Amino acid sequence: MITFRNNFDKVAEYYNNNAHAQKIAAKRLIEILKSMGESNFQNILELGAGSGILTNLIKNNFDYENIICSDLAYNFLKFNGEPIKVQCNILKLPFKNQSFDNVISSSTLQWIDDLDKLLKEIEYVSKKSFKGAFSIFLKGTFHEMDKVSKLTGFGNILEMKESRYYLENFYNNGFNVDFCHEEKHTIFFDSVRQFLNSHKMTGATVKANKFISKNNYNSFLKYYKKLFSIKNKIPVSYNIGYYIITKQTGK
Ligand SMILES: C[S@@+](CC[C@H](N)C(=O)[O-])C[C@H]1O[C@@H](n2cnc3c(N)ncnc32)[C@H](O)[C@@H]1O
């Protein structure tokens, strides 16, 4: 059996310098909120806030009363400058019914296996007039790595979902999707090795319980370059979904 785990707690100090795609995801979410005319929030809960990439953007772009940053990874939260931080599993939120006007999250929901459970938690802690804003990595992210991994036996990628999966789950859990947008981004690295190192330092790696030899690794470097390099640069694709949701009336 293959078991996976991420490494967020271990790489917290290196995360911000390597989280290129996560920075794009957070920045675009802010741009979308602004383009929808949002200017001030009230009580915000941020899910998987980590070291605060989205938190800082919210702080610099909007007025709000309070922001509570939640995350499972203690080491990550240590780097988050907000005063109210709660270390918890977001699948078991330690908050009272109807505590928040807004629930936001960037680059986190793709890690959640039980989305139904999370949405029930969000539904419980949010007020009737709630607005949620999420950026989520979707299927298609790391499609190059996926292909080369299958070919060479080196590396694994997190199984990510299509946008439709999130739309259905939002709707089935009593939310309207007021806005949704899927966007592809490509980041170029100087070498496959540089990409792998940078990816490792984001903590977003999934580890397989299987033996991987130096040969597998070398084949991975070789085939990634051979199949995908453009003018000697190494492209890495990301597919990110952006969602703004509210509660269905009567909920
Ligand atoms: C890729 S990081 C994103 C951090 C931050 N939102 C950003 O934009 O940089 C994903 C975060 O989700 C957190 N996370 C993943 N699963 C979680 C869970 N079940 N409960 C709480 N936090 C979780 C991780 O600890 C990590 O900090």
Side-chain angles (χ1 to χ4, degrees):
M1 191 183 77
I2 296 178
T3 53
F4 296 117
R5 62 182 169 81
N6 62 50
N7 284 302
F8 292 116
D9 232 8
K10 284 190 191 154
V11 301
E13 61 182 302
Y14 310 107
Y15 178 80
N16 275 21
N17 285 337
N18 291 286
H20 312 295
Q22 291 81 353
K23 284 180 186 164
I24 293 173
K27 205 165 148 245
R28 286 293 289 131
L29 190 61
I30 296 290
E31 284 166 3
I32 287 165
L33 284 166
K34 281 186 148 182
S35 73
M36 291 180 77
E38 295 296 338
S39 58
N40 72 66
F41 293 106
Q42 312 277 307
N43 286 310
I44 310 173
L45 170 65
E46 185 178 349
L47 305 173
S51 56
I53 288 178
L54 180 65
T55 326
N56 290 335
L57 288 169
I58 290 282
K59 200 156 127 183
N60 295 335
N61 286 279
F62 300 107
D63 292 326
Y64 57 85
E65 271 180 36
N66 280 309
I67 185 161
I68 295 188
C69 294
S70 64
D71 203 291
L72 200 53
Y74 174 78
N75 286 335
F76 241 121
L77 278 180
K78 272 201 310 204
F79 288 93
N80 190 308
E82 279 306 304
I84 314 178
K85 299 181 275 194
V86 177
Q87 187 192 8
C88 66
N89 184 345
I90 57 176
L91 290 172
K92 277 191 170 185
L93 291 172
F95 304 108
K96 290 189 183 142
N97 191 211
Q98 303 202 16
S99 303
F100 297 98
D101 302 278
N102 304 102
V103 179
I104 59 167
S105 184
S106 186
S107 309
T108 296
L109 267 57
Q110 71 276 0
W111 289 102
I112 301 303
D113 289 335
D114 194 345
L115 183 63
D116 192 67
K117 170 99 177 82
L118 177 66
L119 294 178
K120 288 190 165 55
E121 291 287 298
I122 295 175
E123 149 73 18
Y124 181 77
V125 300
S126 61
K127 295 181 184 171
K128 281 195 165 72
S129 57
F130 138 100
K131 187 166 273 186
F134 309 106
S135 70
I136 310 172
F137 284 80
L138 301 174
K139 196 180 177 98
T141 297
F142 297 137
H143 77 82
E144 301 92 348
M145 178 151 73
D146 191 30
K147 181 163 182 170
V148 186
S149 292
K150 283 177 181 142
L151 210 63
T152 64
F154 175 85
N156 283 294
I157 70 161
L158 175 71
E159 200 190 312
M160 283 166 271
K161 308 281 196 244
E162 292 181 359
S163 188
R164 190 187 165 84
Y165 167 82
Y166 292 98
L167 295 176
E168 278 174 4
N169 272 281
F170 286 137
Y171 189 78
N172 292 339
N173 278 285
F175 298 102
N176 279 328
V177 178
D178 293 356
F179 175 93
C180 100
H181 175 61
E182 191 173 338
E183 204 167 88
K184 292 189 166 54
H185 303 273
T186 306
I187 296 180
F188 288 90
F189 290 83
D190 288 336
S191 67
V192 181
R193 212 184 285 262
Q194 188 202 38
F195 158 57
L196 288 178
N197 287 338
S198 176
H199 178 49
K200 196 171 165 188
M201 293 304 158
T202 65
T205 45
V206 283
K207 199 165 163 46
N209 270 345
K210 61 180 182 189
F211 177 74
I212 294 161
S213 71
K214 187 89 185 153
N215 278 349
N216 296 120
Y217 173 70
N218 286 333
S219 304
F220 182 91
L221 299 183
K222 181 173 140 192
Y223 281 104
Y224 199 123
K225 191 166 181 209
K226 197 168 168 171
L227 292 177
F228 295 106
S229 75
I230 301 170
K231 291 190 178 170
N232 249 346
K233 292 275 182 189
I234 303 301
V236 179
S237 296
Y238 298 88
N239 188 24
I240 307 176
Y242 301 90
Y243 306 89
I244 308 295
I245 65 170
T246 48
K247 282 192 178 178
Q248 288 164 12
T249 42
K251 287 276 165 185

